[in-house]
Structures are given as structure tokens and as C-alpha cells.
Amino acid sequence: MTVHDHLRQVSHDLDPIEVAKYIVSRDAARPEPDVTQLKLQKILYLVQANYLAATGRRLVASQVEAFKHGPVIDPVRVAFKTYSRTVIAPDLQDWIPDKVPADARAFIDSVWDRYKDFSPSKLWRLTHSQAPWDDNYVEGHMHTEIPDNEMSDYFRKHVPLADRTFHPDAIVLSCEDLDRLDDEEDEIVARAVAAFA
């Protein structure tokens, strides 16, 4: 049994447009919204990659692809392409954030809170510096898939714990914690064996 087996009830494979709308609604509530298509795509990538690393499942039911300007979730790119480089400022009355389950909203909020003040160009530099995009982008090509396992492995192994986001139902243990649990388990087994000897 893996850690992810305990997280069977987490939300996963959500509509990417609804998740994007939720992120834009968070931005629209700020005094100076600044989410453009570029920033939205980078936030979505960070949400997806962190979720894969935390739960072993996709939050968004869509493949992340390597485009020239970084990771992209194409259905969202298509849905918001009319905004181009302008701030996405829709009429929020038509957007119902409850279409995104509470545990997913809590997770997205954590990613959002970490990166909301990053400029689009700072997020561009961050995602370009990470192996999942860098290893998969092919000059002149669009729609090159970034494998889920590469995002998950990179975020688990190369992104410091302090910079990661975890599902609200996940428990994070350090190697030291695991070693201590192993030692305690060995001690309990030794006592049980001694009691029956």
C-alpha cells in the first residue's frame, strides 16, 4: 500500500476550464488583478505538478504540454485566447466557484497564495528553469506532452518541501520521522516476540 492509497477520496480529473475560472475569480477579487493568459497557464502548471507530487493524481483532467512560453494546458489556452496578453477580467456573476470541490479549492488557494504576486515574467522564468518543461520542449513544436511522472518526480525530488504545496488531507513525514517510526516499530515487534518467548 502506498501513501497515495490513503488519498482515494481526493478530488481529481476536474474540468480544466472550471479550475481556470476559479483561479481567475481569485485574481479578480484583488484590488489590482493581473492574471493574463501567460500567468494563468503557469499557475495551472504549478497546481497540476504539485497535485501530482502530493496525491499521485491529476487535479485537472488534461495533459500539460510544453510550448515555447512554458507549460500549457491547451483547452484553457483555447478557451481564454481572446484575452491574449491582457488581464482576464470576466463578469464573475456567470462563474460559480462551487463547481470546484472544497478540497481542490483549498489546494489551489495554497498554490495561489504562494505565487499570486509573481509577475507573469517571473513565473515564466521559474517554469523555464524546471526540468519538466526544459526536458520536453522541442524548439518550433507545440503540443509536446510533459509526462505526469516527470512533473511528479521533479516536484517530489527537486523542489524543497518549503516550496511545495500539499493536499489538506496529506501528512508529510521527513526521512528522520520515517526512521524514528521504523525504530519504534522494531521495538514494538521485539517486545511482542519477547512476551511470547
Side-chain angles (χ1 to χ4, degrees), residues 6-26:
H6 297 289
L7 295 172
R8 289 183 195 278
Q9 301 305 315
V10 300
S11 298
H12 57 90
D13 294 324
L14 302 179
D15 181 339
I17 307 303
E18 295 304 324
V19 172
K21 286 180 176 182
Y22 180 73
I23 293 167
V24 171
S25 72
R26 290 294 316 271

Side-chain angles (χ1 to χ4, degrees), residues 37-55:
Q37 172 84 269
L38 182 70
K39 184 169 181 174
L40 177 60
Q41 290 293 343
K42 304 313 156 249
I43 297 286
L44 281 168
Y45 159 74
L46 292 164
V47 165
Q48 185 85 318
N50 272 288
Y51 207 78
L52 283 163
T55 69

Side-chain angles (χ1 to χ4, degrees), residues 63-93:
Q63 183 69 44
V64 177
E65 300 173 353
F67 279 50
K68 179 179 181 179
H69 293 292
V72 168
I73 294 179
D74 201 47
V76 173
R77 181 189 66 83
V78 171
F80 291 92
K81 70 180 176 181
T82 57
Y83 290 97
S84 186
R85 296 176 186 219
T86 62
V87 172
I88 302 170
D91 180 0
L92 295 177
Q93 292 176 349

Side-chain angles (χ1 to χ4, degrees), residues 23 27 30 34-47 50 69-71 111-130 133:
I23 293 167
D27 183 55
R30 300 191 314 156
D34 70 346
V35 169
T36 60
Q37 172 84 269
L38 182 70
K39 184 169 181 174
L40 177 60
Q41 290 293 343
K42 304 313 156 249
I43 297 286
L44 281 168
Y45 159 74
L46 292 164
V47 165
N50 272 288
H69 293 292
V111 175
W112 172 252
D113 289 342
R114 176 179 305 281
Y115 296 107
K116 68 183 176 190
D117 294 325
F118 281 42
S119 68
S121 60
K122 186 173 182 178
L123 287 168
W124 184 93
R125 286 189 301 277
L126 172 67
T127 58
H128 272 62
S129 71
Q130 296 177 338
W133 176 85

